[in-house]
Amino acid sequence: MKTWIQKQTKKQLFIYFLIVASFIGSIIFVNHNHAFYERPIAKVTEAIETDRTETVDQHQNQDIIVNQQITAEVQNGTYKGESIHINNEYSGSHAYDHSFQPGDEVFVTIDDSSHTGTIEDVKRDKYLILVAWLFSIILLVIGKRQGLLSVISLAVNAAILSFALDIYLQNSDISLLIICGISIVLFTVISLLMVNGRNEKTYTAIIATLLGTLSSLLIAYLALFMTGEQGLRYEEMSFLSRNPQTVFMAGLLIGSLGAVMDVAITMSSSIFELYEKNNQIKLKTLKASGIDIGKDIMGTMTNILFFAYVSGSIPMLLLYFKNASPLGFTLSMNLSIELARALAGGIGIVLTIPIAIYTSIFFIQRKRARI
């Protein structure tokens, strides 16, 4: 340990100290932040199982219903420090309910007259902060400076997306497509510049990402126009009371951006690396190498997009199949939107490959002209 510390510069030691201090500070904060919540929070001090009943529904599905008598101490608000009693009922499947143990923290509503409580939700911030730190530390260990910048760019992008959706909710007369389009430009420029710096490789990736994503949008719009949107089921968006086609397009833009950006930076990095290794390399060789690289990654990237979209529908697919719904009806109801997004995004990924190749060659030709 002493040897490792001696090898580090003062700047590196300061950054490590800052990370460790932030980690400890955040853990302490989420374990003592009850006063920052408006909803009452109670900490379970005792949980006793009082009843256990086996049940069978009309479809012969077996389950078990358990009753718990919980004693909990209120952590904030008017009743802070007082104990309340809660009756909790949960099923063996834990689909919409939970079993609780001493030490768990829950959001509750408190009945003033009977001094009893009802559990509304589980306080999960301390678990979320641990997962977030695990994710960040892995990025920092593997990516070092780029990992740190990736974490920052991810936080910035999350803030931009949250702000953009808030603008749309507050101003429904502004098209969601326009808001998402502006957000995508910001996501792309900020992420790539922050992680890869200002250079031709980054400019290539930015141009290829924006053109590839725009291609996905145009192809999806053209396909919807030519088919009259036949086969697409917008039922899942019916509660939004907003134009479902616009919401679909906005989801397509946001959903395909990550995969398209990944392809764009992979292609530009590879081609510029080949050029840096041998700046006398022929453009024809660069183009052929770029196409070979693109062939290698296009299959995995389109599969990533497909699985990312389809995975969200697995619970509904299981529910439909469990209720003996016909295969065609089930797939149509649950996968039509996701498959359309995956196909349009996949086309965008494939088109990004030649766009990135020719944009890289354009910047390389400019570099050669300056030499």
Side-chain angles (χ1 to χ4, degrees), residues 241-271:
S241 66
R242 306 288 171 92
N243 186 345
Q245 187 192 57
T246 304
V247 178
F248 166 73
M249 289 293 189
L252 170 67
L253 272 176
I254 299 289
S256 61
L257 177 66
V260 170
M261 193 188 301
D262 195 0
V263 170
I265 192 65
T266 302
M267 294 299 303
S268 64
S269 294
S270 304
I271 294 174

PDB file of all heavy atoms in Angstrom, residues 241-271:
ATOM      1  N   SER A 241     -52.844  10.512 -23.852  1.00  0.00           N
ATOM      2  CA  SER A 241     -53.672  11.554 -24.485  1.00  0.00           C
ATOM      3  C   SER A 241     -52.807  12.498 -25.331  1.00  0.00           C
ATOM      4  O   SER A 241     -53.077  13.698 -25.394  1.00  0.00           O
ATOM      5  CB  SER A 241     -54.480  12.341 -23.448  1.00  0.00           C
ATOM      6  OG  SER A 241     -53.630  13.085 -22.600  1.00  0.00           O
ATOM      7  N   ARG A 242     -51.741  11.973 -25.923  1.00  0.00           N
ATOM      8  CA  ARG A 242     -50.892  12.727 -26.849  1.00  0.00           C
ATOM      9  C   ARG A 242     -50.796  11.944 -28.154  1.00  0.00           C
ATOM     10  O   ARG A 242     -51.117  10.754 -28.198  1.00  0.00           O
ATOM     11  CB  ARG A 242     -49.486  12.948 -26.272  1.00  0.00           C
ATOM     12  CG  ARG A 242     -49.452  13.598 -24.892  1.00  0.00           C
ATOM     13  CD  ARG A 242     -49.839  15.059 -24.971  1.00  0.00           C
ATOM     14  NE  ARG A 242     -50.019  15.633 -23.632  1.00  0.00           N
ATOM     15  CZ  ARG A 242     -49.086  16.240 -22.938  1.00  0.00           C
ATOM     16  NH1 ARG A 242     -47.870  16.315 -23.432  1.00  0.00           N
ATOM     17  NH2 ARG A 242     -49.334  16.752 -21.756  1.00  0.00           N
ATOM     18  N   ASN A 243     -50.357  12.612 -29.227  1.00  0.00           N
ATOM     19  CA  ASN A 243     -50.236  11.955 -30.525  1.00  0.00           C
ATOM     20  C   ASN A 243     -49.296  10.741 -30.423  1.00  0.00           C
ATOM     21  O   ASN A 243     -48.089  10.899 -30.186  1.00  0.00           O
ATOM     22  CB  ASN A 243     -49.679  12.956 -31.542  1.00  0.00           C
ATOM     23  CG  ASN A 243     -49.656  12.379 -32.947  1.00  0.00           C
ATOM     24  OD1 ASN A 243     -49.791  11.167 -33.124  1.00  0.00           O
ATOM     25  ND2 ASN A 243     -49.503  13.234 -33.929  1.00  0.00           N
ATOM     26  N   PRO A 244     -49.809   9.506 -30.591  1.00  0.00           N
ATOM     27  CA  PRO A 244     -48.946   8.321 -30.413  1.00  0.00           C
ATOM     28  C   PRO A 244     -47.839   8.219 -31.445  1.00  0.00           C
ATOM     29  O   PRO A 244     -46.762   7.700 -31.153  1.00  0.00           O
ATOM     30  CB  PRO A 244     -49.932   7.149 -30.530  1.00  0.00           C
ATOM     31  CG  PRO A 244     -51.094   7.680 -31.270  1.00  0.00           C
ATOM     32  CD  PRO A 244     -51.181   9.131 -30.926  1.00  0.00           C
ATOM     33  N   GLN A 245     -48.092   8.718 -32.674  1.00  0.00           N
ATOM     34  CA  GLN A 245     -47.042   8.646 -33.700  1.00  0.00           C
ATOM     35  C   GLN A 245     -45.844   9.489 -33.293  1.00  0.00           C
ATOM     36  O   GLN A 245     -44.688   9.071 -33.451  1.00  0.00           O
ATOM     37  CB  GLN A 245     -47.584   9.127 -35.045  1.00  0.00           C
ATOM     38  CG  GLN A 245     -46.606   8.915 -36.181  1.00  0.00           C
ATOM     39  CD  GLN A 245     -47.021   9.648 -37.441  1.00  0.00           C
ATOM     40  OE1 GLN A 245     -47.205  10.865 -37.424  1.00  0.00           O
ATOM     41  NE2 GLN A 245     -47.181   8.910 -38.517  1.00  0.00           N
ATOM     42  N   THR A 246     -46.111  10.676 -32.737  1.00  0.00           N
ATOM     43  CA  THR A 246     -45.013  11.551 -32.294  1.00  0.00           C
ATOM     44  C   THR A 246     -44.245  10.919 -31.145  1.00  0.00           C
ATOM     45  O   THR A 246     -43.004  10.967 -31.108  1.00  0.00           O
ATOM     46  CB  THR A 246     -45.577  12.913 -31.849  1.00  0.00           C
ATOM     47  OG1 THR A 246     -46.339  13.472 -32.915  1.00  0.00           O
ATOM     48  CG2 THR A 246     -44.461  13.861 -31.476  1.00  0.00           C
ATOM     49  N   VAL A 247     -44.983  10.321 -30.206  1.00  0.00           N
ATOM     50  CA  VAL A 247     -44.321   9.654 -29.074  1.00  0.00           C
ATOM     51  C   VAL A 247     -43.477   8.488 -29.569  1.00  0.00           C
ATOM     52  O   VAL A 247     -42.352   8.257 -29.105  1.00  0.00           O
ATOM     53  CB  VAL A 247     -45.368   9.174 -28.052  1.00  0.00           C
ATOM     54  CG1 VAL A 247     -44.686   8.426 -26.903  1.00  0.00           C
ATOM     55  CG2 VAL A 247     -46.170  10.350 -27.501  1.00  0.00           C
ATOM     56  N   PHE A 248     -44.010   7.743 -30.561  1.00  0.00           N
ATOM     57  CA  PHE A 248     -43.262   6.615 -31.135  1.00  0.00           C
ATOM     58  C   PHE A 248     -41.971   7.095 -31.783  1.00  0.00           C
ATOM     59  O   PHE A 248     -40.894   6.521 -31.581  1.00  0.00           O
ATOM     60  CB  PHE A 248     -44.155   5.897 -32.158  1.00  0.00           C
ATOM     61  CG  PHE A 248     -43.410   4.950 -33.048  1.00  0.00           C
ATOM     62  CD1 PHE A 248     -42.943   3.740 -32.552  1.00  0.00           C
ATOM     63  CD2 PHE A 248     -43.178   5.266 -34.379  1.00  0.00           C
ATOM     64  CE1 PHE A 248     -42.251   2.860 -33.376  1.00  0.00           C
ATOM     65  CE2 PHE A 248     -42.494   4.400 -35.205  1.00  0.00           C
ATOM     66  CZ  PHE A 248     -42.030   3.189 -34.705  1.00  0.00           C
ATOM     67  N   MET A 249     -42.068   8.165 -32.568  1.00  0.00           N
ATOM     68  CA  MET A 249     -40.887   8.701 -33.250  1.00  0.00           C
ATOM     69  C   MET A 249     -39.854   9.202 -32.241  1.00  0.00           C
ATOM     70  O   MET A 249     -38.646   9.013 -32.410  1.00  0.00           O
ATOM     71  CB  MET A 249     -41.299   9.844 -34.179  1.00  0.00           C
ATOM     72  CG  MET A 249     -42.069   9.394 -35.396  1.00  0.00           C
ATOM     73  SD  MET A 249     -41.020   8.411 -36.495  1.00  0.00           S
ATOM     74  CE  MET A 249     -42.092   8.258 -37.913  1.00  0.00           C
ATOM     75  N   ALA A 250     -40.336   9.876 -31.199  1.00  0.00           N
ATOM     76  CA  ALA A 250     -39.414  10.389 -30.177  1.00  0.00           C
ATOM     77  C   ALA A 250     -38.699   9.233 -29.477  1.00  0.00           C
ATOM     78  O   ALA A 250     -37.492   9.289 -29.223  1.00  0.00           O
ATOM     79  CB  ALA A 250     -40.182  11.236 -29.163  1.00  0.00           C
ATOM     80  N   GLY A 251     -39.448   8.164 -29.186  1.00  0.00           N
ATOM     81  CA  GLY A 251     -38.834   6.985 -28.571  1.00  0.00           C
ATOM     82  C   GLY A 251     -37.812   6.342 -29.489  1.00  0.00           C
ATOM     83  O   GLY A 251     -36.763   5.861 -29.038  1.00  0.00           O
ATOM     84  N   LEU A 252     -38.112   6.337 -30.787  1.00  0.00           N
ATOM     85  CA  LEU A 252     -37.165   5.779 -31.765  1.00  0.00           C
ATOM     86  C   LEU A 252     -35.866   6.573 -31.773  1.00  0.00           C
ATOM     87  O   LEU A 252     -34.762   6.012 -31.784  1.00  0.00           O
ATOM     88  CB  LEU A 252     -37.813   5.796 -33.149  1.00  0.00           C
ATOM     89  CG  LEU A 252     -36.894   5.473 -34.330  1.00  0.00           C
ATOM     90  CD1 LEU A 252     -36.463   4.027 -34.260  1.00  0.00           C
ATOM     91  CD2 LEU A 252     -37.597   5.751 -35.645  1.00  0.00           C
ATOM     92  N   LEU A 253     -35.990   7.913 -31.762  1.00  0.00           N
ATOM     93  CA  LEU A 253     -34.805   8.778 -31.768  1.00  0.00           C
ATOM     94  C   LEU A 253     -33.924   8.512 -30.551  1.00  0.00           C
ATOM     95  O   LEU A 253     -32.719   8.280 -30.669  1.00  0.00           O
ATOM     96  CB  LEU A 253     -35.239  10.251 -31.759  1.00  0.00           C
ATOM     97  CG  LEU A 253     -35.502  10.919 -33.108  1.00  0.00           C
ATOM     98  CD1 LEU A 253     -36.017  12.322 -32.884  1.00  0.00           C
ATOM     99  CD2 LEU A 253     -34.247  10.946 -33.946  1.00  0.00           C
ATOM    100  N   ILE A 254     -34.544   8.553 -29.363  1.00  0.00           N
ATOM    101  CA  ILE A 254     -33.782   8.375 -28.123  1.00  0.00           C
ATOM    102  C   ILE A 254     -33.211   6.953 -28.052  1.00  0.00           C
ATOM    103  O   ILE A 254     -32.060   6.738 -27.678  1.00  0.00           O
ATOM    104  CB  ILE A 254     -34.673   8.639 -26.898  1.00  0.00           C
ATOM    105  CG1 ILE A 254     -35.188  10.085 -26.911  1.00  0.00           C
ATOM    106  CG2 ILE A 254     -33.908   8.343 -25.601  1.00  0.00           C
ATOM    107  CD1 ILE A 254     -34.168  11.128 -26.625  1.00  0.00           C
ATOM    108  N   GLY A 255     -34.035   5.958 -28.430  1.00  0.00           N
ATOM    109  CA  GLY A 255     -33.629   4.564 -28.282  1.00  0.00           C
ATOM    110  C   GLY A 255     -32.480   4.161 -29.181  1.00  0.00           C
ATOM    111  O   GLY A 255     -31.600   3.390 -28.781  1.00  0.00           O
ATOM    112  N   SER A 256     -32.464   4.674 -30.414  1.00  0.00           N
ATOM    113  CA  SER A 256     -31.425   4.264 -31.358  1.00  0.00           C
ATOM    114  C   SER A 256     -30.147   5.073 -31.194  1.00  0.00           C
ATOM    115  O   SER A 256     -29.088   4.676 -31.694  1.00  0.00           O
ATOM    116  CB  SER A 256     -31.931   4.395 -32.803  1.00  0.00           C
ATOM    117  OG  SER A 256     -32.258   5.736 -33.083  1.00  0.00           O
ATOM    118  N   LEU A 257     -30.222   6.193 -30.468  1.00  0.00           N
ATOM    119  CA  LEU A 257     -29.058   7.083 -30.379  1.00  0.00           C
ATOM    120  C   LEU A 257     -27.833   6.383 -29.784  1.00  0.00           C
ATOM    121  O   LEU A 257     -26.721   6.511 -30.311  1.00  0.00           O
ATOM    122  CB  LEU A 257     -29.411   8.316 -29.541  1.00  0.00           C
ATOM    123  CG  LEU A 257     -28.245   9.290 -29.318  1.00  0.00           C
ATOM    124  CD1 LEU A 257     -27.832   9.924 -30.627  1.00  0.00           C
ATOM    125  CD2 LEU A 257     -28.613  10.352 -28.300  1.00  0.00           C
ATOM    126  N   GLY A 258     -28.030   5.660 -28.676  1.00  0.00           N
ATOM    127  CA  GLY A 258     -26.888   5.038 -28.004  1.00  0.00           C
ATOM    128  C   GLY A 258     -26.154   4.065 -28.894  1.00  0.00           C
ATOM    129  O   GLY A 258     -24.915   4.102 -29.002  1.00  0.00           O
ATOM    130  N   ALA A 259     -26.893   3.188 -29.589  1.00  0.00           N
ATOM    131  CA  ALA A 259     -26.260   2.197 -30.461  1.00  0.00           C
ATOM    132  C   ALA A 259     -25.596   2.864 -31.662  1.00  0.00           C
ATOM    133  O   ALA A 259     -24.482   2.491 -32.060  1.00  0.00           O
ATOM    134  CB  ALA A 259     -27.302   1.177 -30.928  1.00  0.00           C
ATOM    135  N   VAL A 260     -26.262   3.861 -32.232  1.00  0.00           N
ATOM    136  CA  VAL A 260     -25.687   4.563 -33.390  1.00  0.00           C
ATOM    137  C   VAL A 260     -24.407   5.300 -32.978  1.00  0.00           C
ATOM    138  O   VAL A 260     -23.400   5.287 -33.703  1.00  0.00           O
ATOM    139  CB  VAL A 260     -26.725   5.543 -33.979  1.00  0.00           C
ATOM    140  CG1 VAL A 260     -26.068   6.445 -35.015  1.00  0.00           C
ATOM    141  CG2 VAL A 260     -27.880   4.778 -34.611  1.00  0.00           C
ATOM    142  N   MET A 261     -24.440   5.933 -31.791  1.00  0.00           N
ATOM    143  CA  MET A 261     -23.257   6.649 -31.315  1.00  0.00           C
ATOM    144  C   MET A 261     -22.101   5.676 -31.090  1.00  0.00           C
ATOM    145  O   MET A 261     -20.949   5.980 -31.397  1.00  0.00           O
ATOM    146  CB  MET A 261     -23.586   7.372 -29.995  1.00  0.00           C
ATOM    147  CG  MET A 261     -22.540   8.397 -29.587  1.00  0.00           C
ATOM    148  SD  MET A 261     -22.825   9.074 -27.929  1.00  0.00           S
ATOM    149  CE  MET A 261     -24.442   9.789 -28.099  1.00  0.00           C
ATOM    150  N   ASP A 262     -22.422   4.498 -30.565  1.00  0.00           N
ATOM    151  CA  ASP A 262     -21.393   3.485 -30.325  1.00  0.00           C
ATOM    152  C   ASP A 262     -20.727   3.057 -31.639  1.00  0.00           C
ATOM    153  O   ASP A 262     -19.497   2.963 -31.745  1.00  0.00           O
ATOM    154  CB  ASP A 262     -22.031   2.273 -29.634  1.00  0.00           C
ATOM    155  CG  ASP A 262     -20.994   1.355 -29.024  1.00  0.00           C
ATOM    156  OD1 ASP A 262     -19.794   1.653 -29.139  1.00  0.00           O
ATOM    157  OD2 ASP A 262     -21.375   0.332 -28.440  1.00  0.00           O
ATOM    158  N   VAL A 263     -21.560   2.806 -32.658  1.00  0.00           N
ATOM    159  CA  VAL A 263     -21.020   2.415 -33.964  1.00  0.00           C
ATOM    160  C   VAL A 263     -20.170   3.538 -34.550  1.00  0.00           C
ATOM    161  O   VAL A 263     -19.070   3.302 -35.081  1.00  0.00           O
ATOM    162  CB  VAL A 263     -22.171   2.051 -34.925  1.00  0.00           C
ATOM    163  CG1 VAL A 263     -21.652   1.892 -36.347  1.00  0.00           C
ATOM    164  CG2 VAL A 263     -22.855   0.770 -34.472  1.00  0.00           C
ATOM    165  N   ALA A 264     -20.659   4.766 -34.439  1.00  0.00           N
ATOM    166  CA  ALA A 264     -19.946   5.908 -35.038  1.00  0.00           C
ATOM    167  C   ALA A 264     -18.568   6.092 -34.417  1.00  0.00           C
ATOM    168  O   ALA A 264     -17.574   6.256 -35.133  1.00  0.00           O
ATOM    169  CB  ALA A 264     -20.784   7.175 -34.863  1.00  0.00           C
ATOM    170  N   ILE A 265     -18.475   6.045 -33.085  1.00  0.00           N
ATOM    171  CA  ILE A 265     -17.170   6.265 -32.439  1.00  0.00           C
ATOM    172  C   ILE A 265     -16.250   5.062 -32.658  1.00  0.00           C
ATOM    173  O   ILE A 265     -15.030   5.233 -32.795  1.00  0.00           O
ATOM    174  CB  ILE A 265     -17.355   6.570 -30.928  1.00  0.00           C
ATOM    175  CG1 ILE A 265     -16.037   7.088 -30.336  1.00  0.00           C
ATOM    176  CG2 ILE A 265     -17.833   5.368 -30.171  1.00  0.00           C
ATOM    177  CD1 ILE A 265     -15.570   8.395 -30.879  1.00  0.00           C
ATOM    178  N   THR A 266     -16.824   3.854 -32.736  1.00  0.00           N
ATOM    179  CA  THR A 266     -15.993   2.672 -33.015  1.00  0.00           C
ATOM    180  C   THR A 266     -15.375   2.764 -34.400  1.00  0.00           C
ATOM    181  O   THR A 266     -14.166   2.510 -34.588  1.00  0.00           O
ATOM    182  CB  THR A 266     -16.835   1.380 -32.914  1.00  0.00           C
ATOM    183  OG1 THR A 266     -17.397   1.298 -31.603  1.00  0.00           O
ATOM    184  CG2 THR A 266     -15.995   0.147 -33.175  1.00  0.00           C
ATOM    185  N   MET A 267     -16.192   3.135 -35.381  1.00  0.00           N
ATOM    186  CA  MET A 267     -15.697   3.231 -36.747  1.00  0.00           C
ATOM    187  C   MET A 267     -14.653   4.336 -36.881  1.00  0.00           C
ATOM    188  O   MET A 267     -13.577   4.127 -37.464  1.00  0.00           O
ATOM    189  CB  MET A 267     -16.865   3.509 -37.708  1.00  0.00           C
ATOM    190  CG  MET A 267     -17.874   2.384 -37.830  1.00  0.00           C
ATOM    191  SD  MET A 267     -17.160   0.858 -38.444  1.00  0.00           S
ATOM    192  CE  MET A 267     -16.470   1.390 -39.983  1.00  0.00           C
ATOM    193  N   SER A 268     -14.942   5.514 -36.353  1.00  0.00           N
ATOM    194  CA  SER A 268     -14.000   6.631 -36.505  1.00  0.00           C
ATOM    195  C   SER A 268     -12.694   6.348 -35.753  1.00  0.00           C
ATOM    196  O   SER A 268     -11.607   6.635 -36.266  1.00  0.00           O
ATOM    197  CB  SER A 268     -14.638   7.934 -36.023  1.00  0.00           C
ATOM    198  OG  SER A 268     -14.916   7.880 -34.640  1.00  0.00           O
ATOM    199  N   SER A 269     -12.798   5.765 -34.542  1.00  0.00           N
ATOM    200  CA  SER A 269     -11.583   5.449 -33.776  1.00  0.00           C
ATOM    201  C   SER A 269     -10.716   4.448 -34.527  1.00  0.00           C
ATOM    202  O   SER A 269      -9.485   4.593 -34.593  1.00  0.00           O
ATOM    203  CB  SER A 269     -11.956   4.869 -32.407  1.00  0.00           C
ATOM    204  OG  SER A 269     -12.599   5.826 -31.620  1.00  0.00           O
ATOM    205  N   SER A 270     -11.354   3.424 -35.101  1.00  0.00           N
ATOM    206  CA  SER A 270     -10.600   2.385 -35.810  1.00  0.00           C
ATOM    207  C   SER A 270      -9.891   2.942 -37.043  1.00  0.00           C
ATOM    208  O   SER A 270      -8.705   2.665 -37.275  1.00  0.00           O
ATOM    209  CB  SER A 270     -11.538   1.249 -36.223  1.00  0.00           C
ATOM    210  OG  SER A 270     -12.207   0.728 -35.111  1.00  0.00           O
ATOM    211  N   ILE A 271     -10.619   3.742 -37.821  1.00  0.00           N
ATOM    212  CA  ILE A 271     -10.019   4.269 -39.058  1.00  0.00           C
ATOM    213  C   ILE A 271      -8.903   5.256 -38.748  1.00  0.00           C
ATOM    214  O   ILE A 271      -7.828   5.227 -39.370  1.00  0.00           O
ATOM    215  CB  ILE A 271     -11.119   4.910 -39.931  1.00  0.00           C
ATOM    216  CG1 ILE A 271     -12.081   3.816 -40.411  1.00  0.00           C
ATOM    217  CG2 ILE A 271     -10.521   5.654 -41.111  1.00  0.00           C
ATOM    218  CD1 ILE A 271     -13.274   4.318 -41.150  1.00  0.00           C
TER     219      ILE A 271
END
